[in-house]
Amino acid sequence: MSQFSRIGLIGRLDNDRAKYTVRRLIEFLETCDVKVYIDEQTGQLINVDRDFEGVSKVAMPELGANSDLAIVVGGDGSLLSGARDLVEYNVPILGINRGRLGFLTDIVPDDIEQKITEVLTGEYVQEQRFMLDMRVERCGETVCRGDALNDVVLHPGEFIRMLEFELYVDKHFVTSQRSDGMIVSTPTGSTAYALSGGGPIMHPKLDAIGLVPMNPHTLSSRPMVVPGGSLIEIVVGEGNSAIPQVTCDGQTHDTVQGGDKVIITKKPQTLQLIHPVNHNFYERCRSKLGWGGHLLERS
């Protein structure tokens, strides 16, 4: 008996291999006595109306409202996008990797049938990942909003120039800074852009947020880790010659001005991630980041 009866499919199908994987997944799910929904863009790319009569092509809100499991085919970027679309529906997400690194997308294409069968029969690990809410205030009014599973980044946009800004945590002034910007990262995002900026790797179960300055002018500026419930405010300086932007997960971009306040908090809803039973965070770090294995024989 399947643990999930309504499956939503999302894919970033920028190559033939990814399209093949989605079609193969649908063919397998048709044998599993489940209802399959597919988002409109993915369904159009694989001609789902022509080739799969039992699959419903729907808009993303309808997919979220009707699915009790969402499967994302693509890379980590595809899962990040799917997470932002589906988090409000509390739909668990499972990833099939057709990208490069695959930190969040666990299943390799060769294992689709075996791993999906295990998940449908209840053999899986489920964990919660918190996300970030971001809003930009200008003269006391909210001018844009966003959310992120990995990170919210203030950066200079198209210009390679330093930014000036002030950082506050829970209304306490922390520092003024001249740098290329600031990465505000969840534990999930600590192995992404924040890691490239010299930030610490945080275990996904930690209730913490990383603050990673990007190429700070003052060498004493170092990454910080603050409690996950913190209120983080970044006040953009008035004298910046660049046109700063705020980016969520590297996928949404909003332009900010001097005097704007970037406000970041933990999102009330959490993302439910599904992993195969053999999922191990430390093994993931070793395999994806090229860490060394055992030096000594184990008895």
Side-chain angles (χ1 to χ4, degrees), residues 38-59:
I38 192 167
D39 82 274
E40 290 177 320
Q41 183 178 9
T42 306
Q44 185 174 351
L45 288 172
I46 65 166
N47 296 312
V48 69
D49 291 333
R50 182 193 66 190
D51 298 335
F52 301 100
E53 293 183 1
V55 177
S56 297
K57 186 172 66 176
V58 297

Side-chain angles (χ1 to χ4, degrees), residues 69-105:
L69 173 68
I71 301 177
V72 177
V73 178
D76 288 344
S78 302
L79 196 141
L80 293 172
S81 178
R84 294 197 307 275
D85 287 332
L86 297 177
V87 62
E88 65 181 281
Y89 301 100
N90 200 34
V91 180
I93 295 180
L94 174 69
I96 296 176
N97 186 27
R98 266 306 188 183
R100 292 184 295 274
L101 188 59
F103 232 102
L104 297 173
T105 47

Side-chain angles (χ1 to χ4, degrees), residues 135-157:
R135 72 181 190 274
V136 176
E137 285 190 359
R138 183 174 301 154
C139 300
E141 295 187 0
T142 299
V143 295
C144 60
R145 292 181 179 273
D147 49 12
L149 175 58
N150 267 358
D151 47 47
V152 176
V153 181
L154 173 69
H155 60 95

Side-chain angles (χ1 to χ4, degrees), residues 119-230:
V119 169
L120 293 182
T121 55
E123 297 182 54
Y124 60 84
V125 176
Q126 183 168 338
E127 64 175 359
Q128 295 183 345
R129 301 285 183 97
F130 78 79
M131 298 177 63
L132 299 175
D133 264 333
M134 181 280 298
R135 72 181 190 274
V136 176
E137 285 190 359
R138 183 174 301 154
C139 300
E141 295 187 0
T142 299
V143 295
C144 60
R145 292 181 179 273
D147 49 12
L149 175 58
N150 267 358
D151 47 47
V152 176
V153 181
L154 173 69
H155 60 95
E158 299 178 0
F159 298 94
I160 307 176
R161 295 176 182 171
M162 282 194 169
L163 299 179
E164 293 184 351
F165 56 89
E166 293 182 343
L167 174 67
Y168 295 79
V169 176
D170 292 331
K171 298 297 183 179
H172 298 291
F173 173 67
V174 178
T175 183
S176 60
Q177 191 170 104
R178 296 184 72 241
S179 69
D180 288 348
M182 175 70 71
I183 305 169
V184 180
S185 168
T186 66
T188 301
S190 70
T191 52
Y193 193 27
L195 182 61
S196 299
I201 293 176
M202 295 186 283
H203 193 282
K205 291 183 179 180
L206 285 176
D207 184 14
I209 295 173
L211 305 176
V212 183
M214 300 165 59
N215 302 316
H217 188 263
T218 303
L219 295 180
S220 59
S221 295
R222 289 292 182 263
M224 293 178 58
V225 178
V226 299
S230 300

